[in-house]
Amino acid sequence: MIIDTNTIVTATEANQNFSKVAKLAEKKGHVVVFKNNRPKLLVIDLDTEPQIEMSEDEKFDFVTARILREHKAAFEELAK
């Protein structure tokens, strides 16, 4: 996903002023919320972007990251 710098807000800003984030998402189609200088959340306007399109590689990365996160202890034990 290519991130437009005009659609980036910090987690602090999103927490303190969600109505601004919602209005920006309505105007631009989506907003990317950064936490610790990394993209963390995606706020989308379902009227303009009804579905999230991901490449096969992005889907694979998403699923593997979730599996690794959920089973981290087991993988660490296997790595010994």
Side-chain angles (χ1 to χ4, degrees):
M1 171 183 216
I2 297 173
I3 300 173
D4 177 0
T5 57
N6 295 319
T7 64
I8 295 174
V9 297
T10 65
T12 302
E13 184 178 6
N15 186 39
Q16 293 174 349
N17 195 355
F18 187 75
S19 62
K20 177 183 174 186
V21 175
K23 288 177 186 176
L24 185 58
E26 288 176 351
K27 181 179 178 183
K28 299 287 188 172
H30 67 274
V31 173
V32 180
V33 179
F34 272 55
K35 184 174 183 178
N36 297 325
N37 295 320
R38 297 182 63 206
K40 181 70 175 172
L41 304 168
L42 179 65
V43 179
I44 61 171
D45 180 356
L46 293 175
D47 289 334
T48 59
E49 294 190 27
Q51 57 186 334
I52 299 172
E53 295 181 24
M54 296 173 82
S55 70
E56 291 302 315
D57 287 341
E58 288 171 322
K59 290 176 187 175
F60 181 78
D61 290 345
F62 179 81
V63 171
T64 54
R66 182 173 51 189
I67 291 169
L68 289 172
R69 185 175 53 250
E70 290 175 359
H71 303 288
K72 182 179 179 182
F75 285 114
E76 288 174 345
E77 185 64 30
L78 289 171
K80 291 181 182 178

